[in-house]
Amino acid sequence: MALYITCKTLPFCPSPPATSPLKSRVSTIRCSVSLSSEDVALGFGERPWKTADARLVLEDGSIWRAKSFGASGTQVGEVVFNTSMTGYQEILTDPSYAGQFVLMTNPHIGNTGINPEDEESNQCFLGGLVIRSLSLCTSNWRCTKPLADYLAERNIMGIYDVDTRAITRRLRQDGSLIGVLSTEDSKTDDELLEMSRRWKIVGVDLISGVSCEAPYEWSEKTNSEWEFNKDVISGEKFHVVAYDFGTKHNILRRLASCGCRITVVPSKWPASETLKMQPDGVLFSNGPGDPAAVPYAVETVKEIIGKVPVFGICMGHQLIGQALGGKTFKMKFGHHGGNHPVGNLRNGCVEISAQNHNYAVDPASLPPGVEVTHVNLNDNSCAGLACPERKLMSLQYHPESSPGPHDSDPAFREFIQLMKDAKQNA
């Protein structure tokens, strides 16, 4: 059947002449509606919207009904909230989110679609995406496909039309919670709850599942269109060995833009093989999970620090803390987002940073001679370390900050200077 709607509209005119009366425009819109005999009898039409077909069951017993997009099935993960306003594609492809469901506090997600240039790794490692409102259209000249299609291709589950604000308040109050995402009606709420309470993420080695399998050379620089710092370093090149604990592409691009030749090696690459390469410096990258669950990585860091300049980022920072004799601990709900204020204790400046971690270094456990250089101004947790005697520096957050902010990009130049000084003093 056809439904006709007649509308009367007035043309826009901010200040029409008094002698020229406004003329209204009448238009008729034809809508095709398919109705069953029962719907017609009841006076209802078909629902043109998706109904709830998914559940998020948290280990605290709460059940959240939602609508699914992307992949279907059942998945377990740790639920964390991310406060970034933009950059969901970079978040989806950040290996540091392995084993986690990312809940975006920004309510509107999907409006910029997906494009191949913004990926931080070759695949998605997170368990699922939880959002409030899924954009039905995209508005971005770089877009090649919508978010829902992208997640379906990558076999990643997503849910929307769920109260993300209420879940975020719960996570802030109770801490990160294990949850189960499911689109399967055959599984009861009690079965999903039992799955969430059996699954563990603490003490699990998540790095091995995201690291490269063999060494490779990286030479790609930051694209000139997105090079926000035109004062790139040229001239002398430094060879950097980058341990891939789950590294992001833009960390490597920033180092390459600073004039580094980069060899990326797997997480279990022996320290002795690295030292045989005689690198000018070593990068210990970001990565997922519990640093205490990867003692082999800690031993590698121990064997390298003091011999060549090192730079640790996120997981690399935590591994350096442990290698120096310090301890790490699991935070209540971690830091995830692109708007965390960090105090640089050396110059007194405040940097707005991008962060993604659930663990932190306990500064009270560090030995003498190790300097805390940065603190998170939200909770005063340790956000940076330095030890000039051992030629090391580390940051708990992401100085490459893709898609932003870029306040901490000078850290890469500090690492270059560290290698330059070590070379001159050799």
Side-chain angles (χ1 to χ4, degrees):
M1 63 178 290
L3 185 66
Y4 293 88
I5 303 172
T6 300
C7 305
K8 180 179 288 187
T9 59
L10 292 175
F12 174 75
C13 186
S15 55
T19 57
S20 176
L22 290 175
K23 294 181 180 180
S24 63
R25 176 182 298 171
V26 178
S27 57
T28 301
I29 302 172
R30 184 179 185 274
C31 304
S32 295
V33 182
S34 176
L35 301 176
S36 67
S37 57
E38 183 181 357
D39 289 332
V40 172
L42 295 175
F44 296 108
E46 286 185 343
R47 293 179 177 177
W49 58 84
K50 185 180 178 73
T51 56
D53 63 343
R55 288 165 289 170
L56 171 62
V57 179
L58 299 179
E59 62 177 310
D60 64 0
S62 61
I63 301 172
W64 307 82
R65 306 287 172 179
K67 300 171 185 176
S68 67
F69 69 106
S72 301
T74 299
Q75 181 69 40
V76 189
E78 180 183 39
V79 185
V80 298
F81 61 89
N82 186 297
T83 56
S84 296
M85 298 294 288
T86 61
Y88 57 79
Q89 187 176 345
E90 287 88 345
I91 291 167
L92 289 171
T93 52
D94 182 349
S96 295
Y97 281 114
Q100 294 179 322
F101 297 150
V102 179
L103 181 152
M104 301 298 296
T105 59
N106 182 27
H108 195 57
I109 300 295
N111 58 308
T112 56
I114 294 291
N115 71 85
E117 289 82 15
D118 286 349
E119 296 197 332
E120 289 290 348
S121 65
N122 296 325
Q123 67 183 89
C124 297
F125 291 98
L126 79 172
L129 183 65
V130 181
I131 62 177
R132 177 68 184 90
S133 176
L134 176 64
S135 178
L136 299 180
C137 61
T138 58
S139 180
N140 180 5
W141 64 273
R142 301 167 68 222
C143 173
T144 59
K145 66 185 66 175
L147 174 59
D149 291 354
Y150 178 79
L151 291 189
E153 292 172 3
R154 300 299 182 95
N155 197 33
I156 301 296
M157 296 184 67
I159 60 171
Y160 68 103
D161 265 12
V162 64
D163 193 343
T164 52
R165 185 173 183 177
I167 299 176
T168 300
R169 288 172 65 90
R170 188 173 295 244
L171 297 177
R172 282 185 57 84
Q173 177 178 324
D174 300 334
S176 299
L177 296 170
I178 305 301
V180 180
L181 275 178
S182 182
T183 59
E184 299 179 286
D185 293 333
S186 60
K187 298 186 182 297
T188 68
D189 293 342
D190 288 339
E191 287 176 328
L192 298 179
L193 179 60
E194 182 62 24
M195 287 177 62
S196 70
R197 290 177 174 173
R198 286 201 313 264
W199 193 79
K200 303 296 180 186
I201 194 170
V202 176
V204 177
D205 176 7
L206 295 176
I207 288 177
S208 297
V210 302
S211 180
C212 61
E213 296 181 356
Y216 64 93
E217 298 296 315
W218 180 278
S219 59
E220 181 184 334
K221 299 180 180 180
T222 303
N223 190 299
S224 58
E225 291 184 78
W226 313 111
E227 179 57 74
F228 48 86
N229 192 334
K230 301 300 181 182
D231 185 27
V232 294
I233 294 178
S234 58
E236 185 178 13
K237 284 189 176 291
F238 296 94
H239 180 209
V240 174
V241 172
Y243 272 82
D244 180 12
F245 298 133
T247 189
K248 295 170 66 179
H249 287 171
N250 274 292
I251 290 177
L252 304 178
R253 290 190 185 110
R254 295 312 295 150
L255 279 174
S257 293
C258 289
C260 294
R261 179 172 65 88
I262 304 165
T263 303
V264 183
V265 298
S267 60
K268 295 184 179 180
W269 188 253
S272 57
E273 294 300 313
T274 296
L275 295 175
K276 284 180 184 177
M277 298 181 192
Q278 297 183 331
D280 298 301
V282 174
L283 170 77
F284 298 115
S285 81
N286 62 294
D290 183 356
V294 286
Y296 63 86
V298 177
E299 288 303 313
T300 298
V301 176
K302 279 183 181 179
E303 294 179 42
I304 292 177
I305 57 175
K307 297 181 175 68
V308 295
V310 300
F311 182 19
I313 295 176
C314 202
M315 171 61 77
H317 160 84
Q318 297 162 12
L319 295 175
I320 286 175
Q322 288 199 354
L324 291 171
K327 297 179 180 178
T328 56
F329 63 93
K330 193 173 193 298
M331 308 176 79
K332 186 175 181 180
F333 46 79
H335 298 151
H336 310 276
N339 47 15
H340 287 256
V342 168
N344 186 326
L345 302 181
R346 287 179 160 179
N347 60 21
C349 292
V350 175
E351 302 170 11
I352 303 301
S353 66
Q355 306 208 8
N356 175 21
H357 61 103
N358 268 25
Y359 294 82
V361 175
D362 178 7
S365 66
L366 295 170
V370 180
E371 175 190 4
V372 175
T373 57
H374 300 73
V375 294
N376 187 297
L377 296 179
N378 285 333
D379 58 11
N380 290 322
S381 59
C382 176
L385 296 173
C387 184
E389 291 182 2
R390 303 193 187 189
K391 299 173 286 190
L392 69 83
M393 58 180 288
S394 67
L395 294 176
Q396 179 59 84
Y397 50 97
H398 289 250
E400 85 290 347
S401 301
S402 182
H406 303 132
D407 297 21
S408 303
D409 189 69
F412 291 104
R413 281 151 181 76
E414 292 177 23
F415 182 43
I416 299 297
Q417 190 62 48
L418 196 65
M419 291 188 287
K420 185 179 294 187
D421 292 344
K423 207 168 187 177
Q424 291 174 348
N425 297 329

